[in-house]
Amino acid sequence: MQMRLTPFVVAALAFISFSQLSNLARAQDATPPPAETAKPADTAAPPAEAAKPAEPAKTDELQCHHAMSLVEAPKYGPDFKHFDWVNPDAPKGGTLRQWAEGTFDTLNRFSDKGVQAVGLGLIDDNLFAASADEPSTEYGLIAECATYPSDYSWVSFKLRPEAKFHDGTPITPEDVIFSFEQFKNVNPFYAFYYKNVVKAEKTGDHEVKFTFDKTGNRELPMIVGELTVVSKAYWSGKRADGTPRSLGETTVEPPLGNGAYKIKSVDTSRKIVYERVPDYWAKDLPVMKGQQNFDTIEFTYYRDRTPAFEDFKTGNIDSWQENRAAAWATQYDFDARKKGLVKKEELPVVRVAPMQAFAFNTRRSKFQDPRVRNAFNLLFNFEETNKNLFYNSYVRLNSYFANSDLESKGLPQGRELEILNEIKSEIPPEVFTTEYKNPVNDKEGDFRKHQQEALKLFEDAGWKIRSEAVDDPDCGFWCKTKRAIGLSSASTARVLRNDKGEQMTVEFLINGDTYERIILPYVQNLEALGVKATVRNVDDAQYQLRVDNRDFDIVVASLAQSNSPGNEQRDFWGSAAADRPASRNLIGIKNPAIDTLIDKIVFSKDRADLVAATHALDRVLLWNYYVVPQWYFPYERIAYWDIFGRPSKLPSQGSALAQVWWYDADKAKAVQAAKGK
């Protein structure tokens, strides 16, 4: 069972490894079952035969890049002093107290075993550090710069000589190679993620080179740049009791790191505390200036939200990121908030909105006809749900890449149209003639019209409504006698059946109570047209087992995307991932046209080509009705005790509280004094 992370974690994204990011795609207003995210899903095994390295390009006059980006030129040049979304003179000190939901049993974040403690990314650095303000952009951290040829057949990294672990030992090419090879060996996620990287070698005292099995993939140098580096000597050594350490096993021994923090104390399953490393090797680098300002960061674990929120209200937790519209509207009228001791803000975020949706298991025959899936979409009344449950806070999703330039709009044209014309016979004709829009129920009669459209789609797909007698458990002797002599008749219900006599039944699989209130009105809408719909709430372990083994009808999915889609699209929608347990293709898509579009994305020659290919993929996914889209909120809801300072400009990707804010001792004293009154 994977721990379900709490909303605050978004503020610490820059501290968390790529493998942990999958746990952060939280649904707006509710905690969706982590269908495609609660467990590393990229579980493809390495190829049976070793791939051959691509033919290397000539290396004459190649540039060593201080930064890499898949979107546009990096904002900051090689001589930049600090990012403009930090305070380079931010004071250090104080404690940041946060919360997590669930439990943990390991401090090794690189294995696929056990439940990892939150925040472990604080103790390790990567070759390059992701920017919190520029999507799909990295700046050199352990590596000073990266070199790659125009055909992207390899990448080499020049390591900083001053980079070191917390025990003072230098970070070497041997550590980089060990990290890469061991991660692939111990965790299927890394085996898939780095499957196109076929060779790692030392090419100098401070240089390491990675060779790829393909050319033309612009993403591969950046993928390798995300590599976290661990100590070969430490992980090849032994514990105090003489037992060997292993990156493939769970451990509660605080590991040796090289990041801005180290583990101070651990109370397994209950609390973990990190302390800032005063002589952190990178503290004065431009890429880290003004960041990691808290002396200690504490994470206390709770079984659920309710006691944690009570502790926030009393000041035992310092900040709270809210993902429930109703709670945001109704639960912040407490004393400290009224006195101004707690601040409440909605901060705009500029990032791709996850496709949060009811996802069909198309491996099941009843969901293989897109007309059936479309009918289900017509029967979801988003406007009523938004009004009755969410205070009209949310925006309906009409794209898998909403809130970004990757979202398809209007009709295809230019390069996108060229791409779509190559597969014209394989995709829905609406792709070329109609902009995709979800049904809207703004005025009286709209939903009734959509019900009629849904009924027609069901009928066209071979499903007909029948009126059938139903058992009445309250019908006793006299009731049955009256029916027998014709004085009364049995109760009837509408039932949707196909020509085989099979009833349309659907089970919504969830693993928490919160989403049930959202699904139940949808169930009623489905039952009105004869669909027998139920909600099944199971524990986390059973839920994950059923999802991994594809034993479900419909689940709630949060399909998070980056601003620069690439190799991971194969795992979301590719045919090869459809039958692989625990892949992110939980829908079961096997569509040659979509496979073609994924390749167009992976091998796009520049940003414009990537955007065009992504627009095309977005349209084809939408017009196949693989999901019933839900909603998103283009802001980050954050409440916090007024004890912090923060930069005048925040990064565009989120509040980054744990990354760039700082503890203000004077404000903290004022709050403490006011609390005593």
Side-chain angles (χ1 to χ4, degrees):
M1 179 180 74
Q2 292 286 325
M3 181 198 73
R4 294 182 295 167
L5 302 185
T6 57
F8 80 88
V9 183
V10 178
L13 283 179
F15 301 135
I16 300 176
S17 72
F18 186 93
S19 62
Q20 288 174 304
L21 288 180
S22 60
N23 286 328
L24 303 181
R26 307 286 291 167
Q28 294 287 357
D29 203 76
T31 302
E36 78 303 324
T37 57
K39 183 178 179 179
D42 300 282
T43 54
E49 296 181 4
K52 295 181 179 179
E55 287 294 327
K58 294 181 179 180
T59 58
D60 297 341
E61 300 180 1
L62 291 178
Q63 178 183 355
C64 198
H65 303 268
H66 76 288
M68 297 185 284
S69 177
L70 289 172
V71 181
E72 55 189 23
K75 181 177 180 180
Y76 303 91
D79 297 325
F80 81 104
K81 304 302 180 185
H82 59 80
F83 296 121
D84 66 3
W85 39 269
V86 305
N87 173 6
D89 301 315
K92 308 290 186 182
T95 297
L96 174 63
R97 299 169 299 172
Q98 301 281 26
W99 77 287
E101 183 178 359
T103 184
F104 70 94
D105 61 12
T106 184
L107 304 180
N108 176 12
R109 67 188 179 105
F110 304 106
S111 171
D112 62 346
K113 297 179 181 178
V115 180
Q116 303 169 17
V118 68
L120 288 171
L122 289 164
I123 71 172
D124 295 306
D125 282 337
N126 299 350
L127 291 172
F128 270 53
S131 169
D133 189 57
E134 301 167 80
S136 302
T137 302
E138 303 172 353
Y139 289 82
L141 183 51
I142 290 177
E144 180 181 345
C145 57
T147 301
Y148 49 85
S150 58
D151 68 352
Y152 304 99
S153 57
W154 55 267
V155 63
S156 67
F157 295 91
K158 179 182 177 183
L159 307 184
R160 298 183 192 269
E162 67 269 32
K164 64 181 180 179
F165 294 101
H166 293 155
D167 64 357
T169 58
I171 298 175
T172 67
E174 287 81 6
D175 295 311
V176 176
I177 295 169
F178 173 84
S179 302
F180 166 73
E181 293 177 345
Q182 286 300 304
F183 294 169
K184 290 185 70 173
N185 286 338
V186 303
N187 193 328
F189 171 87
Y190 293 106
F192 178 86
Y193 197 58
Y194 294 117
K195 70 177 182 179
N196 294 121
V197 186
V198 295
K199 186 179 181 182
E201 59 184 321
K202 179 179 178 179
T203 51
D205 290 343
H206 301 287
E207 187 174 281
V208 60
K209 179 181 178 181
F210 297 86
T211 303
F212 310 138
D213 64 354
K214 290 180 172 63
T215 61
N217 190 333
R218 299 166 55 243
E219 189 180 25
L220 287 175
M222 287 191 64
I223 284 177
V224 181
E226 295 171 350
L227 181 70
T228 302
V229 181
V230 299
S231 169
K232 178 180 179 180
Y234 174 84
W235 283 103
S236 300
K238 296 182 178 180
R239 303 183 184 92
D241 62 4
T243 58
R245 297 187 181 99
S246 171
L247 275 169
E249 302 298 328
T250 62
T251 182
V252 292
E253 177 189 29
L256 175 67
N258 53 41
Y261 288 84
K262 62 181 179 181
I263 296 173
K264 180 180 181 180
S265 63
V266 179
D267 183 358
T268 305
S269 297
R270 296 177 180 177
K271 189 173 185 177
I272 184 167
V273 180
Y274 300 89
E275 62 180 348
R276 187 171 56 84
V277 178
D279 62 346
Y280 170 48
W281 71 271
K283 62 185 177 65
D284 294 322
L285 289 179
V287 71
M288 298 303 292
K289 195 77 173 174
Q291 302 174 53
Q292 288 78 45
N293 301 314
F294 297 101
D295 276 352
T296 56
I297 299 179
E298 300 179 356
F299 298 93
T300 302
Y301 280 75
Y302 295 79
R303 293 187 60 138
D304 55 54
R305 176 189 186 275
T306 301
F309 190 65
E310 290 302 312
D311 269 1
F312 167 67
K313 292 194 296 183
T314 58
N316 293 321
I317 294 173
D318 295 323
S319 71
W320 190 274
Q321 286 197 345
E322 185 58 73
N323 68 344
R324 301 181 184 185
W328 190 247
T330 63
Q331 294 183 11
Y332 287 80
D333 194 27
F334 50 91
D335 189 57
R337 169 81 177 104
K338 292 177 181 177
K339 290 181 177 179
L341 305 181
V342 170
K343 303 293 183 181
K344 182 184 177 204
E345 293 186 72
E346 292 182 355
L347 301 173
V349 292
V350 183
R351 57 175 178 250
V352 182
M355 172 52 88
Q356 181 176 304
F358 296 110
F360 299 101
N361 182 0
T362 63
R363 301 167 188 83
R364 302 202 162 171
S365 58
K366 59 190 170 186
F367 296 133
Q368 289 175 358
D369 192 318
R371 292 171 294 188
V372 169
R373 303 193 296 265
N374 187 9
F376 272 76
N377 191 35
L378 288 163
L379 295 174
F380 178 61
N381 193 334
F382 164 74
E383 287 71 27
E384 182 178 74
T385 300
N386 200 25
K387 176 184 176 181
N388 295 340
L389 298 179
F390 304 148
Y391 295 79
N392 285 322
S393 296
Y394 292 132
V395 178
R396 186 85 191 266
L397 284 160
N398 285 293
S399 170
Y400 286 78
F401 302 90
N403 200 39
S404 76
D405 64 339
L406 300 170
E407 177 179 0
S408 59
K409 294 180 179 179
L411 296 180
Q413 55 185 331
R415 174 60 179 151
E416 180 193 355
L417 183 58
E418 291 178 7
I419 292 171
L420 289 169
N421 277 329
E422 293 178 19
I423 52 174
K424 189 170 185 177
S425 64
E426 305 174 59
I427 58 179
E430 294 89 347
V431 166
F432 298 92
T433 62
T434 311
E435 181 180 10
Y436 179 87
K437 294 290 183 183
N438 284 303
V440 177
N441 300 290
D442 278 342
K443 57 184 181 296
E444 186 176 354
D446 282 348
F447 188 64
R448 177 58 181 164
K449 180 186 70 174
H450 293 141
Q451 284 181 310
Q452 293 170 347
E453 292 176 8
L455 181 58
K456 177 67 164 56
L457 286 167
F458 278 134
E459 290 176 347
D460 291 345
W463 296 86
K464 304 289 192 299
I465 285 185
R466 305 177 187 180
S467 180
E468 297 182 0
V470 295
D471 291 333
D472 183 356
D474 296 324
C475 185
F477 174 77
W478 290 111
C479 171
K480 293 177 180 178
T481 301
K482 289 181 180 180
R483 290 182 182 178
I485 61 177
L487 295 179
S488 68
S489 59
S491 299
T492 60
R494 305 179 93 188
V495 178
L496 192 66
R497 294 190 185 276
N498 61 17
D499 55 8
K500 297 179 182 178
E502 299 168 334
Q503 183 176 5
M504 172 63 77
T505 62
V506 59
E507 178 186 84
F508 291 84
L509 183 67
I510 59 175
N511 66 337
D513 296 332
T514 304
Y515 230 86
E516 194 162 355
R517 70 192 179 103
I518 300 168
I519 296 175
L520 287 178
Y522 189 21
V523 165
Q524 293 174 356
N525 294 341
L526 293 169
E527 289 179 337
L529 262 66
V531 178
K532 183 179 180 181
T534 57
V535 181
R536 181 71 182 275
N537 190 349
V538 299
D539 62 43
D540 285 356
Q542 185 179 353
Y543 176 86
Q544 196 60 58
L545 182 64
R546 287 189 59 179
V547 171
D548 285 350
N549 292 323
R550 311 317 192 194
D551 181 20
F552 66 89
D553 285 339
I554 295 177
V555 293
V556 177
S558 184
L559 304 167
Q561 300 292 336
S562 77
N563 199 261
S564 184
N567 294 332
E568 78 289 342
Q569 299 303 301
R570 291 171 172 151
D571 202 52
F572 276 113
W573 335 110
S575 298
D579 294 327
R580 192 173 72 239
S583 77
R584 283 180 285 194
N585 190 352
L586 77 163
I587 299 168
I589 298 172
K590 288 184 177 181
N591 187 320
I594 288 176
D595 292 335
T596 298
L597 293 175
I598 292 171
D599 281 343
K600 295 287 187 183
I601 289 172
V602 171
F603 295 103
S604 56
K605 64 180 184 297
D606 53 33
R607 178 67 184 179
D609 202 37
L610 174 70
V611 171
T614 306
H615 285 170
L617 175 65
D618 190 29
R619 290 185 202 276
V620 175
L621 288 171
L622 290 167
W623 281 109
N624 275 286
Y625 302 104
Y626 291 121
V627 300
V628 176
Q630 295 179 359
W631 49 81
Y632 78 102
F633 188 66
Y635 296 89
E636 181 181 325
R637 303 186 189 98
I638 184 171
Y640 54 91
W641 285 84
D642 191 18
I643 61 173
F644 302 113
R646 75 186 195 198
S648 57
K649 174 190 174 182
L650 291 175
S652 63
Q653 304 296 292
S655 65
L657 189 153
Q659 184 178 358
V660 302
W661 295 32
W662 60 88
Y663 180 80
D664 188 314
D666 292 336
K667 285 185 176 182
K669 288 178 183 177
V671 166
Q672 194 61 36
K675 287 172 66 177
K677 294 181 180 180

